[in-house]
Amino acid sequence: MEQARLELAYTKFGDIRANLNDGLSQELQLYSYAACDVSRKSEFRLPFIWNQVASDLRCLINNFNAWLGRLQAWQAWNQVLTEYCEQDQWSLRIEFVEDVAFFCMMQPSGFADRTLEALMTVFHHANLTHKTAYQDELPTDKKIYKRIGQNHPKPYDFFEPRGEVRKTIQTLSEGWASASPLLEQLDSLNDADYQAKTMDFRNRASHSFAPNFDLGIVPKVSRRPGFTSKMVQRPDGRYDAIEDRSRRAVSYGYGELPPLSSSEALAENKRQLLTARKLLFIYGALLDEVDKKLSDRQGRTDSNAGPTAEERSKSLE
């Protein structure tokens, strides 16, 4: 596809995207950084933790806003593609579309992981400050000490499986009212329903071969170790195939991975984006709750505190 036609397609994209930005609902607008600049009344047991919490929140908002921008670009390109033949669509997808679509598809999982890390900091240090018997210990400490004992060259550089982190967060969140609705939203990110409707794109793209969008199949040969079967006669003379676990066997399947509908994937990804937005809002409410509980415990009554989560919500409407 020659340069002049690529430039014309990009001009069409710009016009469509500009129209998409007109009259957007609040849910599809950039997320405000107001919660990052709230003046907190309390202090954590360790210094600079509020700075870290504000930084984590700012990074999450950066991530959300970047995701939103690329989602809007993806939506605009989907409209542009309908005006071109299949061959030109391939060129446009390679040049403009695949990167933004790939970025969006990776966000639900990544956003969940980053939120879990931020929550680990908030809950651990809130408990350390607020709960008398709480100790400065986390489940990962045992692994770190073991790696140190084994003279591992990088004893601190590893990531816990998401399931283990989520389990730890559940325990740490006990006693915080905002935790339940927050974790409910968190569990809706990259959930089983989303994975099924997007053909598990994120995992396939990270560890194998992901489906294409709209055009092109991915040939697939699957290998499955198992056991052989033997035929066992019923009393009525018929036979059933019964698994024989005394004899191992390997079976192969041959097929193909069909393309993933770009418009359907976009719709599912947008729903995940809206979940992330709700998650950010409740996260702000959690920080307000932590600040209030800690300040009450510390006897602080600074009237120079920032707006509450409810007030921030109204200011965005």
Side-chain angles (χ1 to χ4, degrees), residues 53-125:
V53 170
S55 176
D56 289 346
L57 178 56
R58 194 176 300 276
C59 288
L60 287 173
I61 294 173
N62 286 343
N63 190 179
F64 175 88
N65 288 340
W67 181 4
L68 172 62
R70 286 166 176 81
L71 190 79
Q72 292 171 345
W74 185 9
Q75 184 175 350
W77 276 118
N78 276 359
Q79 294 186 37
V80 173
L81 290 176
T82 61
E83 301 181 22
Y84 290 86
C85 66
E86 183 174 310
Q87 186 60 44
D88 286 346
Q89 284 188 22
W90 273 115
S91 298
L92 292 172
R93 289 178 191 280
I94 294 170
E95 190 71 31
F96 300 117
V97 188
E98 288 188 355
D99 287 347
V100 295
F102 183 88
F103 179 91
C104 291
M105 294 297 287
M106 304 299 282
Q107 294 316 298
S109 175
F111 199 89
D113 285 333
R114 287 183 280 275
T115 302
L116 282 170
E117 181 171 342
L119 287 174
M120 185 74 76
T121 298
V122 173
F123 284 130
H124 177 61
H125 286 283

Side-chain angles (χ1 to χ4, degrees), residues 223-270:
R223 179 181 182 275
R224 180 170 295 178
F227 301 94
T228 61
S229 298
K230 60 182 179 181
M231 304 305 293
V232 177
Q233 188 175 18
R234 293 181 181 179
D236 60 6
R238 291 182 292 176
Y239 285 83
D240 286 330
I242 304 298
E243 183 181 72
D244 182 3
R245 296 210 167 188
S246 66
R247 300 172 60 193
R248 295 180 179 180
V250 176
S251 62
Y252 286 87
Y254 304 89
E256 60 190 30
L257 196 63
L260 177 63
S261 167
S262 183
S263 60
E264 292 177 6
L266 173 66
E268 293 301 324
N269 195 257
K270 182 183 290 187

Side-chain angles (χ1 to χ4, degrees), residues 32-190:
S32 169
Y33 292 92
C36 304
D37 301 321
V38 172
S39 177
R40 299 297 179 184
K41 296 182 290 183
S42 64
E43 293 180 0
F44 284 101
R45 175 174 163 182
L46 297 180
F48 304 115
I49 298 301
W50 272 123
N51 291 18
Q52 181 64 57
V53 170
S55 176
D56 289 346
L57 178 56
R58 194 176 300 276
C59 288
L60 287 173
I61 294 173
N62 286 343
N63 190 179
F64 175 88
N65 288 340
W67 181 4
L68 172 62
R70 286 166 176 81
L71 190 79
Q72 292 171 345
W74 185 9
Q75 184 175 350
W77 276 118
N78 276 359
Q79 294 186 37
V80 173
L81 290 176
T82 61
E83 301 181 22
Y84 290 86
C85 66
E86 183 174 310
Q87 186 60 44
D88 286 346
Q89 284 188 22
W90 273 115
S91 298
L92 292 172
R93 289 178 191 280
I94 294 170
E95 190 71 31
F96 300 117
V97 188
E98 288 188 355
D99 287 347
V100 295
F102 183 88
F103 179 91
C104 291
M105 294 297 287
M106 304 299 282
Q107 294 316 298
S109 175
F111 199 89
D113 285 333
R114 287 183 280 275
T115 302
L116 282 170
E117 181 171 342
L119 287 174
M120 185 74 76
T121 298
V122 173
F123 284 130
H124 177 61
H125 286 283
N127 289 340
L128 191 61
T129 306
H130 185 64
K131 299 180 179 181
T132 304
Y134 187 85
Q135 300 295 314
D136 194 355
E137 298 175 354
L138 288 171
T140 52
D141 292 358
K142 294 181 180 179
K143 291 185 178 181
I144 292 172
Y145 285 124
K146 182 178 180 180
R147 288 159 71 93
I148 292 174
Q150 296 171 340
N151 295 317
H152 193 286
K154 296 182 178 180
Y156 304 101
D157 296 346
F158 66 95
F159 292 96
E160 281 281 88
R162 184 184 300 169
E164 292 300 313
V165 179
R166 176 63 179 79
K167 190 184 300 182
T168 300
I169 294 295
Q170 184 68 50
T171 301
L172 297 181
S173 68
E174 293 177 1
W176 299 99
S178 302
S180 181
L182 189 151
L183 294 180
E184 181 180 347
Q185 292 298 321
L186 180 64
D187 290 341
S188 296
L189 280 176
N190 196 47

Side-chain angles (χ1 to χ4, degrees), residues 20-41:
L20 287 176
N21 287 333
D22 292 338
L24 285 176
S25 65
Q26 178 185 331
E27 290 181 326
L28 293 175
Q29 293 179 4
L30 294 174
Y31 199 91
S32 169
Y33 292 92
C36 304
D37 301 321
V38 172
S39 177
R40 299 297 179 184
K41 296 182 290 183

Side-chain angles (χ1 to χ4, degrees), residues 274-286:
L274 298 181
T275 296
R277 188 180 190 94
K278 294 175 184 175
L279 180 60
L280 281 174
F281 178 75
I282 304 173
Y283 186 85
L286 170 67

Side-chain angles (χ1 to χ4, degrees), residues 296-308:
D296 288 348
R297 182 180 179 87
Q298 296 160 1
R300 296 176 180 271
T301 58
D302 185 358
S303 61
N304 196 31
T308 65

